Amino acid sequence: AELLGLGDECGEGASGASALAGSCLAGNRLNLDVYPDGCCRFLRLFEGRRGEGVQVEFLRLSTNDRLLGTALGILPHLKHLRSLVLKGGHARDEFGACQRGSLTSLPPDIRNLKALTHLDLGFNSLSTLPSCILHLPSLRVLLVSHNNLVALPEDFGSLSKLTFFSAMKNQLKELPRSFGELAALQELDLSENALEFLPEEIGNLHNCTELDLSGNCLSSIPDSLANLKSLRRLHLHSNLLVTVPASLASLPDLSRLDLQNNLLRAVPAEIQTLPFVHLRGNPLGEPEPSPQADESSARRLRRLFLASGEDSFTVTSEGCKVVLACGIRFCFPPGAASEPLRIYFRSLAPDPQWVKLRHHDVLLSRVLELQPHGVKFQQEVQIWMPYASPQTLHQREVVVRTFSGQSWSDLRTRVEQKRKMKKHVAHCRVLHFSWFLVVSRLVQNECQVPTEGTLLFSSVDPNIKVTFPPGVTEETRRVKMQVLLVSAEEIEELTADAGCRASPLLCLSQDSLVDFLRPVRIQLPLPPGVTGLNLDRSRLHLLHGDLEGQTWDDITSEVVLEFTHLYAVFEVTHFSWYWLWYTTKKYIGGIAKKVYERLRMYQVNFIALQRKKDPEQVLLQCVPKHKVDPVLKKLQDRYRGPEPSDMVEMFEGEQFFAAFERGIHIDTDRPDCVDGRLSFIFYSHLKNMKEIYVTSPVDRKGQAVKGQVSFYRGAVPESIPEDASRRRKGPDSLWLATLPIKLPRLKPRWHENPGPQNGFSFPPLNLGNAESGYLTQANLLSIARRVGADWQNIGLNLGLTYQQIERIGYNNREDLHKQILDMLFSWAQQNSEDPDCVGKLITAMKESGRQDIADEVETIIELGRQKYRESIRRVGL
């Protein structure tokens, strides 16, 4: 420990930590990136069990780990290391996004890892490629995606054995000419960089089968690309291409050519007729824009259609229209960007810690983040954001709200509705990019108050007006008015007093901290049923509330109230909430506070349903009371479960938790799991729904499991009134509802019948095709013997769902080999009809850090190809 300089940083004894780290060692593999203290475990293993540590061949560490620097110093001692993964993305920022790792360089002695064939440094903070990488003689796979690289070394071509290289999502502007010396390179991914041109030498990559140059700034590509005779897939979408060489059509093995979202006005006929060419999003057939283009040119802007997996696009000075897969649209007019600019976007789940809603606000969308932040456009960019229809919200308005990094502000918004699709869209214009969301707020009327005075009316209730007399202010100030209508029925229900009445709630605010120089005259309508003729002044109370609605003071005796037949008029010098009440009760402030609190709450029910075909799949949802019946009707064909819970009340943006109890378990490693409970945030117009896979430690072969799911309140939002917060303290007050969950008795499964392979019986398999080679049942069994504790990661990369992985783990618990077999053969049966399934298997193994298995599969396939070609020759074809 002293040698490593650890001291007590790891927080546990050397022997205990060493044993804990050793438990993560699977043969010669050490996958520590999934542990928050992975680097500590690695250092303790090297300290306590050095003999085993130096034999490690496959190592994964998180670069978000605080002990990364110390761990890097150990790496040169691992002489047998074949695969090294040092990736970030294992920590999240305040907005829930993955954080890049802290890795900026590598120790020079890394060059001594002569056996290293696979190196993944993705999602880090590299601005230059560590020079020691160029001295790794056996390196075949190199990934440096999601970094800050602006250039590659001039002698990058010295990596003569490199077969796979990915530098996607960096800032590369050019490639070194030595790139053409990578004679063994088979797959190259340079997508989402800033490349403006390619060297002619790129045509020397004769073994390259896949080339991804999408999302760059290329206006042309060299004719030498036609020399890549092995090329099968060429991705050039989302560039600035104005021309492509016709010689690309002569590539013999090409099966996909993606030219979408470029500036192509014409394409060679040889290319346009190819069945595998994709040209959507190009201005094909359109004339060149004239220098004196008028305003109507915006209608002829090129259109970009982005697929669900894409997260960026390039904007040029010519402008463009962009349509995202989620329905969000942009319009960049000509001249908005003076030079090519890469735009990045992502959709974030709203978090009440930074999405601060005001009183009576309703969230209608997820958060849209647009980057780069702070860049100012020369002309306004238009944004269209779809949002949840606020059908039950009346006397309100929809606005787009933007976050500057410090505070939220509302943008001038126009609401549009697509009749055919019945979708609502919020339209705004901006000169900069940041975070955006759509909210429904109380209608806001505003005006500028000059020295001469003015008049402000409410558009919700024209009977409400504010008169600013001359001399009310020395400098012009902006005043805002919002009105919340409260019906007589609501007041009666909330107060349980048939004789209680109240006027609309009036909220006034201004952009100055200085009180007005002269009294401002406010007119409010009398409460319903009350007129100047039957008015009993002793029952009328004028209440003043602070901006947070926490305190309501009766100021009737402090102001001069004037009455007409329909209105009450009074004067004030500062602004806040004002409310007229008509009641026999005397201490009206406390009642008004409770009513105001209740007006902000929603009545909701919880539902817990299980899939009919798979009871381990449980759907949990918090539904506003008026939506319960439609939601259940929509789900009844696929789900069954108990009746919804009793009605409870919740605030917009309030956190709650779901806890599975009495023999029902979930995966507590889920990112939305806190102390074993699932975390939810209630937003009345968004789907508060999650579907999870549950298990039970009880042996269900002999009996069913009768468990339950309970819902509890979580952290109390800052904006909740003090009284409500006080009532919610203590364990009993946190409980909301409990619903039963039943896991039925297990039926015998197909693999539980006695069979030749540890209780498994397998149907015959032939994955792939005759020309490319087959993988058989025997091949998969051989591959299974090479897989270890990383089978879950491999399964996810193969495309199995998280729920499938959980189910396989549960059904074969305590038997790692059966878990691996079940995973591989489940995938094989799902993909047996896919001709490219073998290629997907190879890719998944590479993505999982199992280059060794990928090599084995490729060897099997190559042998199959040779046999196929020999058989063709034998029969004279």
Side-chain angles (χ1 to χ4, degrees):
E2 293 178 2
L3 178 65
L4 296 174
L6 287 176
D8 294 324
E9 283 188 82
C10 295
E12 51 186 311
S15 60
S18 175
L20 188 61
S23 67
C24 306
L25 188 63
N28 56 1
R29 304 177 186 282
L30 200 52
N31 297 330
L32 297 173
D33 53 340
V34 295
Y35 299 100
D37 60 342
C39 286
C40 177
R41 294 181 182 225
F42 172 64
L43 294 169
R44 291 299 191 189
L45 175 68
F46 195 82
E47 171 195 354
R49 300 166 63 176
R50 186 186 181 101
E52 292 179 68
V54 296
Q55 298 299 320
V56 168
E57 296 182 20
F58 303 87
L59 174 64
R60 300 177 67 97
L61 293 174
S62 166
T63 54
N64 297 110
D65 197 302
R66 62 186 180 88
L67 293 178
L68 175 67
T70 309
L72 290 177
I74 304 298
L75 297 182
H77 297 280
L78 308 182
K79 303 298 184 181
H80 300 280
L81 199 62
R82 296 170 55 193
S83 174
L84 175 61
V85 178
L86 301 172
K87 292 182 69 173
H90 298 277
R92 296 181 179 271
D93 61 18
E94 57 186 313
F95 304 115
C98 294
Q99 289 183 316
R100 292 192 175 189
S102 60
L103 187 71
T104 57
S105 62
L106 290 176
D109 288 345
I110 289 289
R111 68 177 65 192
N112 296 329
L113 301 178
K114 305 299 184 182
L116 193 66
T117 62
H118 174 266
L119 178 61
D120 188 348
L121 305 177
F123 227 89
N124 280 296
S125 305
L126 298 171
S127 56
T128 58
L129 192 72
S131 58
C132 58
I133 293 177
L134 303 179
H135 300 279
L136 295 171
S138 303
L139 194 63
R140 298 181 60 184
V141 177
L142 175 60
L143 300 95
V144 289
S145 54
H146 293 271
N147 276 279
N148 302 317
L149 299 175
V150 295
L152 295 174
E154 285 299 322
D155 54 346
F156 187 78
S158 61
L159 294 171
S160 58
K161 293 187 178 180
L162 205 63
T163 61
F164 180 93
F165 177 57
S166 174
M168 67 177 295
K169 290 196 176 179
N170 279 274
Q171 301 166 29
L172 298 174
K173 294 186 177 180
E174 59 180 356
L175 299 177
R177 298 182 64 179
S178 64
F179 219 87
E181 299 173 14
L182 301 173
L185 197 63
Q186 297 174 12
E187 296 182 44
L188 174 59
D189 187 353
L190 297 171
S191 60
E192 299 192 42
N193 278 277
L195 296 172
E196 298 178 359
F197 64 91
L198 300 173
E200 286 286 340
E201 287 78 7
I202 200 169
N204 296 334
L205 305 177
H206 299 299
N207 288 310
C208 188
T209 60
E210 182 160 1
L211 176 57
D212 193 342
L213 296 165
S214 59
N216 280 281
C217 301
L218 299 170
S219 58
S220 63
I221 54 176
D223 293 336
S224 61
L225 280 186
N227 297 331
L228 305 182
K229 302 301 183 183
S230 301
L231 199 61
R232 297 175 187 171
R233 292 174 291 276
L234 177 57
H235 306 276
L236 292 166
H237 68 80
S238 305
N239 274 280
L240 309 175
L241 296 175
V242 294
T243 180
V244 289
S247 54
L248 291 180
S250 64
L251 293 173
D253 296 333
L254 198 62
S255 60
R256 181 178 180 86
L257 176 57
D258 194 343
L259 296 170
Q260 297 180 91
N261 299 334
N262 277 284
L263 301 177
L264 297 170
R265 300 181 186 276
V267 176
E270 301 94 319
I271 290 180
Q272 197 160 4
T273 56
L274 295 174
F276 49 78
V277 174
H278 301 266
L279 293 167
R280 187 182 183 188
N282 284 283
L284 293 174
E286 296 182 12
E288 292 285 342
S290 62
Q292 296 82 22
D294 56 17
E295 293 183 1
S296 64
S297 63
R299 301 176 185 174
R300 300 192 298 270
L301 293 175
R302 72 179 181 120
R303 297 174 67 89
L304 307 180
F305 299 90
L306 273 67
S308 57
E310 299 179 78
D311 63 357
S312 66
F313 55 90
T314 300
V315 177
T316 67
S317 58
E318 292 184 10
C320 63
K321 292 181 179 180
V322 182
V323 181
L324 306 187
C326 60
I328 296 174
R329 294 180 290 135
F330 307 97
C331 179
F332 296 84
S338 56
E339 56 184 26
L341 178 65
R342 193 73 184 170
I343 304 295
Y344 294 89
F345 60 89
R346 59 177 175 168
S347 176
L348 303 172
D351 186 333
Q353 291 185 353
W354 65 282
V355 175
K356 302 293 185 183
L357 296 179
R358 302 162 193 162
H359 287 201
H360 311 289
D361 282 349
V362 176
L363 187 63
L364 301 179
S365 76
R366 288 171 60 89
V367 180
L368 170 67
E369 183 186 6
L370 297 173
Q371 294 180 323
H373 299 159
V375 173
K376 187 170 183 179
F377 294 99
Q378 306 301 312
Q379 295 190 49
E380 288 184 328
V381 176
Q382 300 182 66
I383 304 176
W384 287 266
M385 292 184 64
Y387 62 89
S389 173
Q391 296 174 351
T392 59
L393 304 177
H394 305 292
Q395 305 296 345
R396 305 173 69 89
E397 59 188 357
V398 173
V399 295
V400 176
R401 187 165 291 171
T402 183
F403 186 61
S404 65
Q406 301 295 328
S407 61
W408 292 90
S409 58
D410 294 345
L411 301 173
R412 188 181 298 275
T413 306
R414 187 176 80 248
V415 172
E416 302 174 4
Q417 183 174 1
K418 296 181 177 180
R419 294 184 180 179
K420 293 182 179 180
M421 304 178 67
K422 296 182 180 180
K423 285 188 177 180
H424 293 77
V425 180
H427 173 229
C428 64
R429 299 170 181 265
V430 296
L431 285 171
H432 68 280
F433 277 171
S434 59
W435 294 265
F436 302 89
L437 53 81
V438 183
V439 297
S440 170
R441 70 180 186 189
L442 297 177
V443 173
Q444 185 169 286
N445 301 112
E446 55 186 276
C447 70
Q448 297 280 0
V449 180
T451 306
E452 299 80 16
T454 188
L455 194 63
L456 177 60
F457 284 91
S458 168
S459 60
V460 174
D461 186 346
N463 296 314
I464 299 176
K465 69 177 181 178
V466 182
T467 305
F468 300 89
V472 71
T473 180
E474 291 181 349
E475 296 182 354
T476 300
R477 62 180 80 181
R478 179 173 291 276
V479 171
K480 299 176 182 178
M481 170 195 290
Q482 290 180 301
V483 172
L484 176 62
L485 298 180
V486 188
S487 67
E489 292 78 11
E490 284 181 292
I491 293 295
E492 182 177 336
E493 179 185 350
L494 295 174
T495 61
D497 183 355
C500 195
R501 298 285 186 271
S503 72
L505 258 165
L506 171 65
C507 180
L508 294 169
S509 60
Q510 58 168 325
D511 61 0
S512 173
L513 299 176
V514 181
D515 287 348
F516 289 100
L517 301 180
R518 297 187 60 187
V520 175
R521 193 173 180 84
I522 298 175
Q523 173 182 293
L524 280 177
L526 292 170
V530 180
T531 68
L533 298 177
N534 63 9
L535 176 66
D536 180 353
R537 288 199 171 205
S538 65
R539 297 177 59 185
L540 191 73
H541 303 269
L542 176 62
L543 302 181
H544 166 271
D546 61 16
L547 288 175
E548 295 299 320
Q550 292 277 14
T551 59
W552 291 88
D553 298 321
D554 189 340
I555 61 171
T556 311
S557 60
E558 301 173 18
V559 300
V560 177
L561 274 170
E562 302 174 13
F563 300 98
T564 68
H565 182 60
L566 298 174
Y567 309 115
V569 181
F570 57 95
E571 294 182 337
V572 297
T573 57
H574 64 276
F575 283 169
S576 188
W577 287 96
Y578 295 97
W579 208 355
L580 271 177
W581 278 67
Y582 194 72
T583 178
T584 57
K585 299 182 183 296
K586 292 185 178 180
Y587 300 103
I588 192 62
I591 298 174
K593 181 178 180 179
K594 292 179 180 178
V595 171
Y596 180 82
E597 174 189 319
R598 292 283 300 277
L599 289 173
R600 295 178 52 210
M601 300 180 76
Y602 293 85
Q603 295 180 334
V604 302
N605 300 87
F606 296 101
I607 60 176
L609 304 175
Q610 295 171 263
R611 277 189 182 268
K612 292 180 178 179
K613 294 184 177 180
D614 189 358
E616 286 88 357
Q617 292 288 122
V618 180
L619 182 146
L620 303 179
Q621 190 169 4
C622 176
V623 187
K625 183 176 67 174
H626 67 279
K627 294 182 180 179
V628 170
D629 289 340
V631 167
L632 290 178
K633 186 176 181 180
K634 188 182 296 184
L635 296 173
Q636 65 184 2
D637 291 339
R638 293 172 292 142
Y639 296 85
R640 66 163 62 96
E643 290 295 312
S645 71
D646 293 336
M647 186 272 296
V648 297
E649 293 182 327
M650 301 194 76
F651 287 93
E652 184 86 359
E654 183 173 356
Q655 186 180 35
F656 66 95
F657 294 96
F660 288 90
E661 300 162 341
R662 295 189 176 181
I664 306 291
H665 289 182
I666 61 171
D667 179 11
T668 56
D669 289 332
R670 291 171 58 109
D672 57 352
C673 202
V674 180
D675 296 330
R677 299 179 175 184
L678 285 177
S679 172
F680 292 76
I681 307 295
F682 171 73
Y683 291 106
S684 58
H685 281 64
L686 302 183
K687 284 187 177 180
N688 309 287
M689 179 182 72
K690 291 183 181 180
E691 190 166 7
I692 56 270
Y693 179 75
V694 300
T695 61
S696 174
V698 178
D699 185 1
R700 291 167 52 203
K701 294 178 182 178
Q703 63 179 2
V705 177
K706 296 180 180 180
Q708 65 186 27
V709 57
S710 295
F711 297 90
Y712 299 87
R713 295 194 189 276
V716 179
E718 297 176 3
S719 57
I720 282 186
E722 184 179 339
D723 285 354
S725 176
R726 192 181 300 116
R727 289 198 303 272
R728 295 181 179 192
K729 291 182 179 178
D732 296 334
S733 60
L734 295 179
W735 176 84
L736 292 167
T738 296
L739 294 172
I741 296 289
K742 181 179 179 179
L743 295 181
R745 181 178 175 180
L746 283 179
K747 297 178 181 179
R749 303 179 62 86
W750 63 271
H751 61 259
E752 291 175 350
N753 298 324
Q757 182 71 30
N758 293 338
F760 279 79
S761 60
F762 306 108
L765 282 175
N766 275 312
L767 300 178
N769 55 69
E771 184 175 354
S772 62
Y774 284 117
L775 276 183
T776 65
Q777 171 187 326
N779 297 139
L780 275 190
L781 291 173
S782 173
I783 292 170
R785 286 191 288 270
R786 301 282 297 274
V787 178
D790 54 351
W791 69 269
Q792 294 174 313
N793 187 37
I794 293 173
L796 291 172
N797 287 328
L798 281 171
L800 296 181
T801 65
Y802 188 78
Q803 289 79 12
Q804 286 177 296
I805 295 294
E806 282 188 311
R807 189 181 300 113
I808 290 170
Y810 175 73
N811 291 336
N812 305 286
R813 53 192 180 279
E814 300 179 2
D815 192 329
L816 176 61
H817 188 55
K818 282 189 177 182
Q819 292 172 343
I820 297 168
L821 288 171
D822 201 350
M823 179 272 293
L824 278 175
F825 279 86
S826 294
W827 168 81
Q829 290 174 27
Q830 291 178 18
N831 295 269
S832 59
E833 302 299 323
D834 184 356
D836 193 36
C837 62
V838 176
K840 292 178 180 177
L841 176 62
I842 294 172
T843 301
M845 291 300 176
K846 291 179 179 178
E847 291 174 348
S848 304
R850 297 305 306 268
Q851 184 67 43
D852 56 325
I853 298 180
D855 292 345
E856 178 181 331
V857 176
E858 287 177 333
T859 301
I860 295 170
I861 293 302
E862 181 58 33
L863 182 61
R865 289 196 196 103
Q866 291 177 6
K867 291 182 177 179
Y868 177 74
R869 287 194 291 266
E870 289 172 2
S871 67
I872 293 293
R873 283 195 295 270
R874 279 198 301 270
V875 297
L877 295 179

